[in-house]
Amino acid sequence: MQRIGVFVCHCGSNIAATVDVKKVAEMALLEPGVVHAEDYQYMCSEAGQARIQAAIKEKNLTGIVVCSCSPRMHENTFRSAAEKAGLNPYMVEIANIREHCSWIHKDMEEATKKAVILARAAIAKVNLNAPLKPGESLVTKRALVIGGGIAGIQTAIDIADAGYEVDIVEKTPSIGGRMSQLDKTFPTLDCSACILTPKMVEAAAHEKITIYTYSEVEAVSGFVGDFTVDIRKKARYVDSDKCTGCGVCQEKCPSKKSLSEFNRGLNTRSAIYTPFAQAIPNVPVIDTDACIKMKTGKCGICEKVCQAGAIDYQQKDEIVTQKYGAIVVATGFDTIKLDNYDEYAYNQSKDVITSLELERVMNAAGPTKGHLERLSDGKHPKEIVFIQCVGSRCADNRGKSYCSKICCMYTAKHAMLIRDKYPDVNVTVFYIDVRTPGKNFDEFYRRAVEDYGVNYIKGQVGKVIPQPDGKLLVQGADLLDNKQILKEADMVVLATAIEPNPDVRKIATMLTASIDTNNFLTESHAKLRPVESPTAGVFLSGVCQGPKDIPETVAQAGAAAVKAIGLLAKDKLLTNPCTAKSDQLLCNGCSTCANVCPYGAISYEDIEVNDHGIRETRRVAVVNSALCQGCGACTVTCPSGAMDLQGFSNRQIIAEVDAICR
Amino acid sequence: MYKIAKENLSALFQAIAGEQELYLPVNNNGQVNFAAWTEGADVDLDTLKSVKSPKDAFFPQSENLYTVKTEDKKLKVEPEALKDQDFVVFGMKACDVKGIEVLDKVFLVDPVDTFYAARRKHGTIVVMACHEPEETCFCKVFGIDCADPVADVATWMIDGELYWKALTEKGEALTAKVAGLLTDADETKVEEEKKAIRAIVEKLPYSDLSLEGWNGDVLLEKFNSPIWEKLYKPCLACGTCTFVCPTCQCYDIKDYNTGSGVQRYRCWDSCMYSDFTMMAHGNNRTSQMQRFRQRFMHKLVYFPANNDGMYSCVGCGRCVEKCPSALNIVKVVKAFEEQGGEN
Amino acid sequence: MSIENNNEFRPKIVAFCCNWCSYAGADLAGSSRLAYPADVKIIRVPCSCRVNPMFILRAFEKGADGVILCGCHPGDCHYTTGNYYARRRMTLLFSMLDYIGVENGRTRVEWVSAAEGVKFSQTMNEFVEKIHSLGKNVRLGDLRCKN
Amino acid sequence: MQELVSRAKELLANGTVERVLGWKAGDLPYNPEPAYFYVEEDFDNFVYNGFCGANLSKYMIEASKMEGKTLVFLKPCDTYSFNQLIKEHRVDREKAYIIGVGCKGKLDIEKAKKAGIKGIESVAGADMSDACDTLTFQTIYGEKTCAYADVMLERCHVCKGKEHVISDEVIGESNDTKDAERFAEVEKIEAMSPEEKFAFFQKELSKCIRCNACRNVCPACSCRKCVFDSTKFDSAQKANVDSFEEKMFHVIRAFHVAGRCTDCGECSRVCPQGIPLHLFNRKFIKDINEFYGEYQAGADTDSRGPLTNFTFDDVEPSIVTERG
C-alpha cells in the first residue's frame, strides 16, 4: 500500500479564488492510500517545495499528488523536488486544477467538486505508480554521414570541426553530388565548382573525416548512441593507396563507349574512369560492364600503362563494420523519369533536354565544352523554350504533387546566362507561377525579365512536336492573353521535378526511419524538429527531407550537424523511462506491435520461458528502451495485453477512468 | 392423479406465478432455457433438453454473496439476503432432478452452503417424463427412469394433456393451490406412456453403455492411463460441457469494483479453464490433458468414491450435443472400454 | 451552466487528451479563460494511440455518459503516426457501438492542436450539449455501479 | 475420402510427415472429432464428410511445436486461417504439409434437430462422394429427409470460394454453396433504429453463458493468455453478472480480431446458444472494406492488416455519426 501525500496549491488566488483548496485537501485525505494532505499558497515556490520535501521525509511518503497548474508547467519542478527528498521522481502525479478547473469555472462549489475528482484520479493513478529509472546508454563518439553531396560534406565538416570522427559513405566514385554537376548557382551566378571544390578538398583533408566512396550502407543495427553499420566498399579494381591519379589509364583505355553518368549520358567515358576532373578521391574505378579485360580476359592495357602498379583486377568488395553514435542521412535527389510525359517529346528529340542536362551543356567541362548547341546537330540555337513544372505540382499521379522549389530560380538563371552570353538567342519560359521567396530571389527573377528580356508566358505547354526540319513546334497557352500559342523552337528545356534518391527507401528501412508517400524522409516534427528523424539518433540533411536549394541545404546540413554534435557530446544517454514493456509470459510473438512502432524499437527474440511449469522456447517481443519514445501504439495493438506502457499503464489509466466515473 | 389440457397450461402457469416465482423452459431467440415465467413468454415444453440444465434455479451461474461499501475510510459489509420466498421449477426432466441430487451431496453436507440450502428449501420441482428421448440420452446407464420421474410433482404430456401427480408434501401443497385448474384422471394412459418411453430408451444407442470398472478402486490405474493423452487432443478448453452440465458444481469467488465499494460474487467455474484453481504459485494442473482428465475422473471416479458410488453424471447428453469438438463423456468411457484389454 | 437545480442531469464525461497537442490545447483554453462545463474531466495520455478501446468501454461501464478522445491533427502527431492508428481504431469502435445500438453521439474524436484553445473549449461545450440531448447513458453501463 | 487416406498413409510411410491431423469418426453418425493419426491402423476410423466442419488450422499452433511435419487437411476456408496464423508467427509453415480438401458445404446438426429430426441413428447423403443435395436420416421415430442446404452452416451460404489460398497439394472437388450475400444480415441490422439494434443484440447476447467456446475455437483468438483470463486488465470475468459484460466481452473480442478475422465462422458454429457471433466480426469486415478498401484477412501472409496500417486521408470517426 502506498503512503501518499497530497499538496493543494492556491496559486495565489488563481486557484484559491474559485476552488475551495482546504476542502480539496480534506476530501483527498479520505482517499485510499492518502496519509497526508495540505494546502499552501505557492507549492512551486522554494517554501512550497520545502513543505513537500519535509512531508516526504516525516511521513515516509511513497508517492505524492500535487494539485496545481498544468503538469506541462511544473511537473519537472515537483519531480526534482521529490527526488531531492529521496522519492523517485516518477512517484509524482499532478492534478491540473488550474488550467483545467479554476480558470474555466466560475462557480466555487462546482469547481471544487471537479477539483476533488481530478485529485482523486491522480491519487488513484499514483496508487499504482512504480518507481521508474531512466536507462543509460553509452554514446559512440563517431558519426556516419550517408551521402557525399554538398549536404553530406557540410554536415561532415561541421561535425568534424567540433572534434568528432565522421565517416562519409558515398555511392558513386567521388564525393560532390549534384552540386558538382551544376554550372553556375543562383542568385549570385558564381561558379558551382569554384565554391564546391574547396569544400570537397577540405573534407578529404580533414583529419577527422574518413571518406568511403563507391561504397554503400549494407546493414544497420543498434540504436541511438550505439549504431553498428556495415559498409560495403565496392571493388574499384584500383588500389587507392598506390594510384597517383595521373589519368593515363583513362586515356589509354580502349573501351570508351560507356555513357557518362556525370554528364547525364550526353557523352561517353572510358571503362576505367573518374567521373570528373576534380573528383575526390582522384582514383578511378573500373566499370566491369564495359571493361574488356573483365568481360573477355583479354586487354589489360590499363594495368600495363599504370606506372604505380595500382590496377588490381582481383580486388573484391570489402565490408567495413563500424560503430556510430549518430547517423545523418544526406542522400539527395535525382530528376524524375519522364516516361509519363510523352507530350514533351523528351524521348523523341535530342533537343528536348532537362535542366540538369542543360547545366552540363553550359559547363566548360561538359559534352559541348560549354558551347550552347543543339545536341542533335551541334547547331547554335536561336529560339529556346523553357517549360516549368514538368512533373511538379501534378494533380494526377503522373508526376509529383509537390513543388520542386528550385526550378523557378534555376530557370531564371539559365535564361539569364543564355541571354547574357548569346544575346541573339530568344528565350521563352512557360510557367504556372513564378515562385521566388528567398533572399534576393525576386530581384534576380526581375532582372531576367526586365534587364535580360526573357519572355515569360503564364501558361502550360500542351505538346512539343518535333518537325521534319529538326525544329520543335511548341503548342502552349497564354493564360493572361487567353490565346493559344504556337512557337517554333530549336531547343526545349524541361524543368523536371526532383525526387528523393530512390535508394533512400532501402536506407530508411535499415534505419527504421519513416518515409512519406513521396519517399522524402519524415522529420520528427514538421516545425519544431525539422532535421531530426523520428528515429532517435538519425538526422536529416538536404533534399532527402524535402526540396531545397543550395543555401537551404547547407543551412540544414549545419543544423543536422549541430544536432548530431549535441548527441555526440554526451557520454551517456538517459532514456525516457516511460517506455513500453512486454510481458514475456503473455506475449504471442505475433509481430503486430512491431508493425505500428514508429521507432523500430521492437524486435523479437526466441527465449526460454518457464510459464507456470511449462518450459518452452517462445518468440517474444523485446522493447529497446533506448529507442522507445513511449507513444503506446503497441500497447493497444497487442491482442493479449502483453505490451504495457510504464508510467501510463493499462491499470493506471483504468484507475483514473474509474475514479472519474465513480 | 390429475390432468390438464395443454391449452390450459398458460392459465396454470399464471396461477402458479401469481403466488410465487415460476421457472420453466422458455424459447428465447430459438434457444430453450429455463427462465422466469412472464406474461407472453414463449414456453416450450416440447423441446427435450434446455441448453443449460435447470441447475441455475438452485445454483445460479452467478450470485452475489455480499457487498462492501466504502464510507470515507470505513468499510460497511452488507451480506446478500438468502432466498426466503417459495418458487416452482416446472418442466425439469428426470436427469435434471438427479443432477440436483448430485448437487445436494456437495452443497447440503457440512459445511452447508446456505445460499443453496435456502433455494432447495423454498423450491418445488415439477418434473416431466421424457416423451421422446433422443440418441444423445443415456440416463438409463445411471439407473434413472425418465418414464417415471420422481420429484415433488411428476407429470406426463400425453396427447395434448398434461397428467399430474403429486409425490411429496411440497407437491401436494402446490397441487392444492392449482386444484381448480386440474381434473381427475386415471393412470391407464400414463402407464402406457411409461411403457412406450421405456421401449424407446431400450433402443437408444447409448443405453447399453457400461460403467463397469469406474469407481474409486481404480483411481491410479485410470489416472495414469496413457489414453488421456490421446483423448484430450481435440479439447479446446472452453467451458461448454461444464456450463450445460446439470451436475458440475465448481465455482469461483470474485470481487467486482463498483466504484463505491466491492461486490463479492460467485460464479460457475470450469475445470477446463486454464485459470481454474489459479493460486499465487500458479495452477496445480498445468496442461489441458490434466484439466480434461480431471473433469472425467471427478465425475466417474472421485465423486462415486466419496458418495457411495453415485456418479456425478446423469446421462442428460447435453455435453454430447454441445461440445464444439464433439468430445464427451461417452467417448471417454468407450475409449477405456476399447483399450480395456491393453490396460 | 447552473447547478442550482439538483435534479438537473449532470453528465459524466471523460476526455482523453494526448500530452503534446490536445492536453496543451486544454491548457490554453484554461489560460485563455474559455469556459466549458465542469462535467468534462481530462485524462492525460502520451498519444491518442495509447487509448485502448477497452478504456472507453470501461468508462461507460463505470457510468460515463460520454467519452471524447482528442489528439494532434493528422500529420502533426508527436510520434508521427500515432493518431493515424487511433483514427482507424476509433472509427471502427464507434461504428461497432453504433451497430449494437449505443447512441452514436456518446463518443467523439476531435483533433485539437496546442494552439487551439478556442476549439478545445468549443468542442467540449458542443459535446456536453450533445450528451445532454441524449440524456443518461442507460445502454452501456454496469448496473452494479449505478447505486 | 479413400484418396485422402491413401495419400496420408503414403506420406507417413515415406517419412515426409510424422503425423496426420484429420477427423475421426464419432460414436454418433454426425459427431466426428479432430484427431491425430500416427500409424496405418489409426486410419480405420478416419472420416471426411459433411460433418467435418471443424477448422483444423488452430490445432496447428500446437502441432508446430511438435517434432517434424504434420500433415493437415484444410478446407478452402480453413486455409485463410492458416495463412493468417503464419502472418502472426503462430504456426510454422515448414512444420505443415497441407492437403487442401474439397468441400461441399458443412453441416450443422442443430439445424436438423431444430427442424424436428430426433433420435438419429444414421445419416446418408453427407459423404464427399455424394451429390450433397439431400440428407436422409434414419431415426428411432422413422425416416426423415431434408435438403442438404437447409442443414448447412451459415458460413457455407456465404462461402468464400473453392480456392485453397495455401496448400502443398489439393485433393477432391468442391461445390459452390454460396447462395446468400455475405453482408446482408449486417445491412439488415444497420438499417434498424438504435432502439431496435439495442433490443436485437440484447436479446441475442442475453443467451451467452460465457463458456468461451467462440473464443477458444477462434483461430485468431490464439493468445497464450486471453485478456479476459488475465488479471492484468482488470477485465477477468467468468460469468456475465450484468448485461454489460456480455457486450463488453463480445465487442472487445471482435475488436481484438478485427482485421485478423478471416470470417471462418467457427464462433457461430460452436456457440451452444446459437448466437450469431459472426455478425460482430462481419460488421468490422464490412466497415474495413468500406473505409479502407477491400481486405480479406488470410488471403496472403505478408500484407499489413488494416488496423496496423493507415493512409493520410482515412475517414474520420465522425463518419459514424454522419452516416446517421
Side-chain angles (χ1 to χ4, degrees), chain D residues 102-115:
Chain D
C103 178
K104 295 180 170 178
K106 295 298 167 216
L107 298 166
D108 181 0
I109 193 67
E110 288 280 322
K111 284 192 177 171
K113 292 187 176 180
K114 283 261 147 54

Side-chain angles (χ1 to χ4, degrees), chain A residues 540-551:
Chain A
L540 312 176
S541 177
V543 181
C544 67
Q545 178 261 342
K548 278 176 198 67
D549 60 19
I550 294 167

Side-chain angles (χ1 to χ4, degrees), chain A residues 461-478:
Chain A
V461 169
K463 212 167 170 54
V464 175
I465 307 152
Q467 301 296 302
D469 62 356
K471 297 240 180 211
L472 298 158
L473 184 63
V474 178
Q475 286 181 348
D478 183 333

Side-chain angles (χ1 to χ4, degrees), chain A residues 443-496:
Chain A
E443 294 90 324
F444 184 79
Y445 154 65
R446 280 212 310 275
R447 267 168 60 208
V449 178
E450 289 160 12
D451 300 351
Y452 288 89
V454 179
N455 181 23
Y456 270 78
I457 297 175
K458 184 175 176 69
Q460 272 173 302
V461 169
K463 212 167 170 54
V464 175
I465 307 152
Q467 301 296 302
D469 62 356
K471 297 240 180 211
L472 298 158
L473 184 63
V474 178
Q475 286 181 348
D478 183 333
L479 294 180
L480 296 179
D481 282 355
N482 197 19
K483 61 178 188 200
Q484 293 294 314
I485 290 182
L486 278 181
K487 203 166 188 67
E488 283 218 323
D490 299 307
M491 275 175 87
V492 169
V493 183
L494 306 176
T496 312

Side-chain angles (χ1 to χ4, degrees), chain B residues 94-132:
Chain B
C95 52
D96 299 334
V97 174
K98 180 80 170 180
I100 301 297
E101 264 181 65
V102 172
L103 295 185
D104 286 350
K105 295 270 187 199
V106 179
F107 292 129
L108 296 185
V109 297
D110 203 40
V112 172
D113 184 302
T114 50
F115 291 92
Y116 180 83
R119 286 205 178 80
R120 281 292 278 137
K121 185 177 152 206
H122 289 283
T124 303
I125 298 174
V126 179
V127 70
M128 260 179 95
C130 299
H131 176 60
E132 286 185 330

